[in-house]
Amino acid sequence: MGNVPSAVKHCLSYQQLLREHLWIGDSVAGALDPAQESSQLSGLPEYVKIVEVGPRDGLQNEKVIVPTDKKIEFINQLSQTGLSVIEVTSFVSSRWIPQMADHTEVMKGIRQYPGIRYPVLTPNLQGFHRAVAAGATEISVFGAASESFSKKNINCSIEESMERFEEVVKSARHMNIPARGYVSCALGCPCEGSVTPQKVTEVSKRLYGMGCYEISLGDTIGVGTPGSMKKLLESVMKEIPPRALAVHCHDTYGQALANILTALQGVNLYKVMEAGDFICKAVNKTTNSKVAQASFSA
Amino acid sequence: MLSEAGLPVVEATSFVSPKWVPQMADHAEVLKGIQKFPGINYPVLTPNFKGYQAAVAAGAKEVAIFGAASELFTRKNINCSIDESLQRFDEILKAAQAASIPVRGYVSCVLGCPYEGKISPAKVAEVAKKLYSMGCYEISLGDTIGVGTPGIMRDMLSAVMHEVPVAALAVHCHDTYGQALANTLMALQMGVSVVDSSVAGLGGCPYAQGASGNLATEDLVYMLTGLGVHTGVNLQKLLEAGAFICQALNRKTSSKVAQATCKL
């Protein structure tokens, strides 16, 4: 719509626009003043905890192997953005996930800022012990709501994986280490297709019952849409309190934000973009963030 | 190809001077050349009366005009005030009415302006009301630079819906900051049932080089299908049209659905 403008150079910079629309400057996004509060949507939580999974879930899917020192620098930059939880690495065998081969060095090498949590993935007891030895103070385990995916991904049935995780979570609880539970394929499976909310609820309940403080429901292949997300959450919330739930949406089909539909709060957007820019250079690719793409016009 | 995909409305071209928009220089040939499928509307943009006359001569059966909710944007874009622009459009509307040609009204910058910054919902409502009362059958509210977020969309629509019935409203979200689908979802929840989008997310943004353009039709159709909302669109044919035009433009698609399905 509209013609190509002849006065682009007189436009406000993207910083000015973001300042006006998100009320951010050098400080924190989403710090509302009374005049702007009317733009808040009702029915939304006041505060949303963002769990930054770029260094783990993000990097493990990138072809370019990022050197250890760059991973450490990346995570240190993220620590300065105001994010309160940053998933650092995965103590998985390097044979399966070469990108995470340097898990110990990364965990030992990052600066652990006070007030920020640095969970790591621990698929089994061996990984858990290594993680603790490397200084981890929070761990995650990941199950799936699909038998085929569980077999393909971690080579065992859902039931067998739960038994493994019980071991890990029990040991973690003995050491006062909080454990987070992930449920993959919550809105669809690459092998089985559709996944019932009941199955997701069953797996989530199992993980919550064994002691995970939070369950992150993952739309692993991004096939979900707002309706299926709503149905899923309605089912899971019958068994698990909302404050113990998180969503983890992949953007494969561009649906992630619509599926999430929440506001950022307490995060310095510019520093997040700087960290994003840094890691994109390290993996030699362009950012997938539209906000970052728009900002490059400056 | 877009017609074959089942889309009910396909905006064909713009009868604007090639000096301003070279890509649309062949407007007459395109409109004359396309196959007009029965049941599908092919509106064209007509920025002024001359363009309107040329459009009608080329066979246009529906036209669109565009105002803005920002004085500065209007001034910089078409060198006049909002009121003056509406007066110009009045000529088109009267002629179109006499010829029984429906006119759609666009309002740009409804959630923010690249020059003025914030835009008040009241201003958007005022311009929308004027276009509607002048005879536009539908008002498309455009987040031209994609800065809006769902709360701002809700506030803007609340204000506009006091002046224009929701059945006559459409939203046109740009995806510059990745917010288009979320903003569109908010609009749907408020009762809007007409959504503008562009196959492959074509469009870019002249105000933010490197930024993406319109909401991608494929991604929109994916969401609506998942929600059980009927669109009549064949996603496969749409993907083919998207692949075709991206090849012609020598560019990658901005649609996530297209990207995902290309891997298969």
Side-chain angles (χ1 to χ4, degrees):
Chain A
M1 59 184 288
N3 296 329
V4 173
S6 54
V8 173
K9 61 182 186 295
H10 300 295
C11 287
L12 299 173
S13 66
Y14 82 91
Q15 288 99 331
Q16 279 173 288
L17 286 167
L18 291 182
R19 214 175 287 138
E20 293 225 1
H21 285 272
L22 298 181
W23 315 295
I24 54 176
D26 298 316
S27 63
V28 148
L32 301 173
D33 78 38
Q36 285 134 3
E37 266 170 36
S38 62
S39 282
Q40 271 248 303
L41 289 180
S42 61
L44 288 181
E46 265 185 31
Y47 170 74
V48 170
K49 178 179 75 174
I50 297 173
V51 176
E52 172 59 46
V53 297
R56 198 276 307 169
D57 198 14
L59 286 186
Q60 85 180 24
N61 284 298
E62 294 288 342
K63 289 193 179 72
V64 171
I65 303 289
V66 177
T68 307
D69 63 336
K70 288 232 146 63
K71 283 194 182 103
I72 291 170
E73 171 60 26
F74 174 45
I75 292 165
N76 288 344
Q77 283 197 22
L78 287 172
S79 291
Q80 294 168 62
T81 62
L83 289 158
S84 60
V85 186
I86 301 167
E87 197 175 60
V88 171
T89 186
S90 176
F91 281 78
V92 70
S93 161
S94 55
R95 213 175 67 209
W96 302 119
I97 316 256
Q99 180 80 270
M100 301 285 121
D102 56 2
H103 42 62
T104 302
E105 295 89 329
V106 171
M107 190 71 226
K108 284 183 172 162
I110 58 164
R111 187 173 152 198
Q112 293 196 40
Y113 285 65
I116 300 181
R117 290 150 60 189
Y118 299 94
V120 297
L121 242 58
T122 52
N124 49 40
L125 210 51
Q126 189 185 66
F128 170 72
H129 289 308
R130 286 206 178 114
V132 172
T137 50
E138 182 169 329
I139 59 129
S140 314
V141 292
F142 54 98
S146 148
E147 283 293 355
S148 335
F149 186 82
S150 190
K151 290 220 168 70
K152 273 217 162 87
N153 209 31
I154 52 177
N155 210 23
C156 63
S157 69
I158 296 180
E159 183 56 40
E160 285 163 346
S161 74
M162 291 295 131
E163 282 162 19
R164 267 186 222 174
F165 300 146
E166 279 234 47
E167 271 187 320
V168 174
V169 176
K170 210 179 265 177
S171 306
R173 290 185 75 190
H174 272 141
M175 300 173 72
N176 276 333
I177 289 177
R180 192 188 202 226
Y182 277 102
V183 182
S184 320
C185 298
L187 294 178
C189 169
C191 319
E192 288 182 16
S194 67
V195 174
T196 68
Q198 289 71 26
K199 189 69 191 174
V200 181
T201 303
E202 188 190 307
V203 177
S204 305
K205 195 176 171 185
R206 195 69 196 276
L207 288 167
Y208 190 62
M210 68 173 76
C212 292
Y213 75 91
E214 191 173 89
I215 309 300
S216 176
L217 306 166
D219 182 12
T220 308
I221 50 169
V223 286
T225 44
S228 58
M229 173 62 88
K230 183 163 183 267
K231 282 203 182 87
L232 170 68
L233 288 174
E234 277 168 356
S235 171
V236 178
M237 273 157 54
K238 290 194 176 117
E239 305 289 346
I240 298 178
R243 57 165 169 74
L245 288 176
V247 290
H248 178 114
C249 298
H250 279 235
D251 204 32
T252 325
Y253 293 88
Q255 308 297 302
L257 200 63
N259 291 343
I260 298 171
L261 224 208
T262 53
L264 281 173
Q265 278 212 20
V267 172
N268 183 320
L269 183 56
Y270 295 115
K271 287 198 181 283
V272 174
M273 293 203 292
E274 276 165 28
D277 190 38
F278 173 83
I279 199 61
C280 283
K281 288 193 167 77
V283 296
N284 194 29
K285 55 180 281 190
T286 47
T287 180
N288 285 336
S289 156
K290 297 270 175 100
V291 173
Q293 284 167 19
S295 73
F296 292 151
S297 67
Chain B
M1 288 177 83
L2 288 171
S3 298
E4 284 169 356
L7 293 153
V9 185
V10 179
E11 196 176 61
T13 186
S14 176
F15 281 76
V16 70
S17 161
K19 205 172 74 197
W20 299 119
V21 191
Q23 181 82 270
M24 301 287 121
D26 55 0
H27 39 61
E29 294 92 323
V30 169
L31 191 55
K32 286 181 182 160
I34 57 171
Q35 188 189 349
K36 296 189 183 72
F37 286 58
I40 300 181
N41 292 344
Y42 299 93
V44 298
L45 241 58
T46 52
N48 50 41
F49 195 66
K50 193 166 110 170
Y52 168 77
Q53 288 172 314
V56 173
K61 297 275 185 293
E62 181 173 326
V63 299
I65 56 172
F66 49 93
S70 153
E71 284 291 354
L72 254 181
F73 185 86
T74 307
R75 212 153 266 295
K76 297 237 188 250
N77 212 29
I78 53 177
N79 207 22
C80 61
S81 71
I82 295 180
D83 277 338
E84 283 162 351
S85 73
L86 294 177
Q87 274 166 32
R88 280 185 205 174
F89 295 142
D90 208 35
E91 224 189 343
I92 298 176
L93 277 151
K94 289 208 164 68
Q97 213 162 36
S100 291
I101 288 177
V103 181
R104 194 191 206 222
Y106 279 101
V107 183
S108 318
C109 297
V110 300
L111 300 182
C113 169
Y115 306 105
E116 284 185 20
K118 271 218 186 109
I119 294 291
S120 80
K123 189 69 189 175
V124 181
E126 186 192 314
V127 177
K129 185 183 178 179
K130 284 204 174 111
L131 285 168
Y132 187 65
S133 61
M134 280 159 67
C136 292
Y137 77 90
E138 191 171 89
I139 310 299
S140 175
L141 304 164
D143 181 13
T144 308
I145 49 170
V147 284
T149 45
I152 302 173
M153 170 64 86
R154 187 211 54 180
D155 287 352
M156 184 276 296
L157 282 175
S158 295
V160 175
M161 275 158 57
H162 275 130
E163 309 291 351
V164 180
V166 71
L169 291 177
V171 290
H172 180 116
C173 296
H174 278 233
D175 205 32
T176 324
Y177 293 88
Q179 308 298 302
L181 199 63
N183 290 344
T184 300
L185 180 60
M186 173 54 58
L188 293 172
Q189 287 171 334
M190 293 199 61
V192 172
S193 59
V194 182
V195 180
D196 298 356
S197 61
S198 178
V199 73
L202 295 181
C205 179
Y207 304 96
Q209 251 175 52
S212 52
N214 293 280
L215 170 62
T217 307
E218 301 93 316
D219 300 0
L220 172 66
V221 168
Y222 185 95
M223 181 181 77
L224 292 173
T225 308
L227 283 167
V229 174
H230 179 64
T231 61
V233 175
N234 180 319
L235 186 56
Q236 188 50 49
K237 293 219 154 109
L238 191 66
L239 287 165
E240 283 164 23
F244 175 81
I245 198 63
C246 284
Q247 198 168 49
L249 288 167
N250 194 25
R251 61 162 273 181
K252 289 205 173 91
T253 180
S254 293
S255 153
K256 288 275 174 99
V257 173
Q259 285 167 30
T261 47
C262 275
K263 287 174 189 144
L264 298 171

